[in-house]
């Protein structure tokens, strides 16, 4: 995977208030008011007498007829605009256009909109002159209704799809966490079991360390992110538990953990909980604990440009098979990285007959930025 030094661009999101506004209906209302006002300004001016006494009555009635055709298409489109019902859809629109033209002609005749030298014209004249105009106007209203409905449905479905994707992301991350906890518990109990078989006096301390780790997993890992310092402390508790499996005089040299952080970085940066543990756990599960002087070497380095480099190296167990390293823990880690850090992470695994090493690189966000990202998933 490619590593990016900048956060991926997120699509533009409208404010919540604008999302709730019925904007197609507001567009239609705005157009009606605009044309009514424009028509009024054309018919009445500072140097012209009023050319029509009942202008606003005419405007109101024509707006009602225009809206009737507009919402006829708006209502029948979701029900009839499908492949198997297209003939019925066009039949309804054809009848609606004919009724619209007839009513508009009748309204014009009733209000005597057309006069020649002050003489009202017959109904036949209105039909002959205005039928083509009103059919064309009705067609434009239907097209406007069609495209506004189409755009509104598309935007609503896009928002629903994004919400479903967020729900799926949250569900998948929760499932990955529930898989990780039993996996970790299973491995740690195996370690404690080996101590009890040898009647080791370190077994009670191992149980105590396990309880501390489980407390972290039960309470702190429920958060979307935790301070980097807390994740480091969790790793150190885990390593302390692993120390109990080694001779006391060799444990410190066999397990080395180097931490290189800028001042204050451990509290300024956030990290998803339990993200580093699978790599460390995998080293002890498949590593050779008899190797000396170094069993496991860990390095955590945070650069000034917010790049977190975490590497784990361990000697291979002579009984390990090529498929053994990784397992469920590493597979879950890859999936979590893909979900949480798309195009912002790099995970490299190098294995040979003697050594197994994993290097992970993340572009971390500071606490405030990461909090906004987590809130966007809610």
């Amino acid at each position: 995977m490619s590593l990016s030094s900048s956060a991926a661009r997120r699509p533009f999101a409208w404010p919540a208030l604008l999302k709730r506004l019925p904007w197609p209906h507001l567009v239609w209302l705005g157009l009606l008011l605009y044309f009514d006002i424009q028509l009024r300004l054309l018919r009445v001016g500072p140097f012209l007498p009023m050319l029509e006494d009942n202008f606003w009555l005419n405007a109101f009635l024509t707006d009602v007829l225009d809206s009737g055709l507009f919402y006829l298409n708006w209502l029948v489109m979701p029900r009839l605009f499908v492949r198997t019902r297209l003939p019925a859809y066009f039949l309804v629109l054809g009848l609606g256009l004919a009724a619209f033209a007839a009513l508009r002609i009748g309204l014009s005749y009733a209000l005597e909109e057309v006069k020649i030298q002050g003489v009202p014209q017959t109904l036949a004249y209105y039909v002959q002159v205005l039928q083509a105009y009103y059919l064309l106007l009705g067609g434009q209203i239907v097209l406007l209704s069609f495209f506004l409905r189409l755009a509104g449905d598309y935007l609503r479905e896009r928002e629903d799809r994004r919400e479903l994707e967020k729900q799926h992301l949250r569900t998948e991350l929760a499932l990955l966490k529930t898989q990780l906890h039993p996996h970790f518990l299973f491995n740690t109990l195996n370690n404690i079991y080996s101590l009890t078989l040898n009647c080791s006096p370190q077994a009670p301390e191992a149980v105590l360390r396990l309880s501390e780790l489980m407390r972290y997993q039960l309470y702190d890992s429920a958060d979307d992110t935790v301070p980097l310092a807390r994740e480091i402390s969790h790793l150190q508790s885990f390593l302390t538990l692993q120390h109990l499996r080694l001779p006391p005089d060799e444990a410190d040299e066999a397990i080395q953990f180097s931490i290189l952080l800028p001042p204050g970085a451990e509290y300024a940066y956030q990290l998803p909980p339990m993200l580093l543990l699978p790599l460390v756990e995998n080293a002890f599960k498949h590593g050779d604990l008899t190797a000396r002087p170094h069993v496991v070497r860990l390095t955590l380095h945070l650069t000034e440009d917010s790049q977190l480099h975490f590497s784990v190296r361990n000697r291979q167990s002579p009984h390990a098979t090529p498929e053994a390293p990784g397992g469920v823990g590493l597979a879950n880690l890859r999936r979590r990285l893909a979900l949480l850090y798309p195009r912002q992470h790099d995970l490299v695994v190098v294995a040979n007959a003697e050594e197994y090493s994993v290097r992970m690189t993340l572009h971390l966000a500071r606490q405030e930025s990461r909090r906004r990202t987590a809130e966007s998933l809610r």
Side-chain angles (χ1 to χ4, degrees), residues 116-136:
I116 300 177
Q117 296 180 349
V119 178
Q121 302 300 304
T122 63
L123 179 61
Y125 176 86
Y126 278 85
V127 173
Q128 181 180 0
V129 172
L130 297 179
Q131 61 176 336
Y133 170 76
Y134 284 132
L135 285 175
L136 179 61

Side-chain angles (χ1 to χ4, degrees), residues 149-163:
R149 179 82 198 208
L150 202 63
D153 290 346
Y154 168 76
L155 293 177
R156 184 173 59 256
E157 289 176 3
R158 188 179 67 174
E159 290 299 323
D160 292 342
R161 186 167 58 252
R162 287 179 179 175
E163 183 62 29

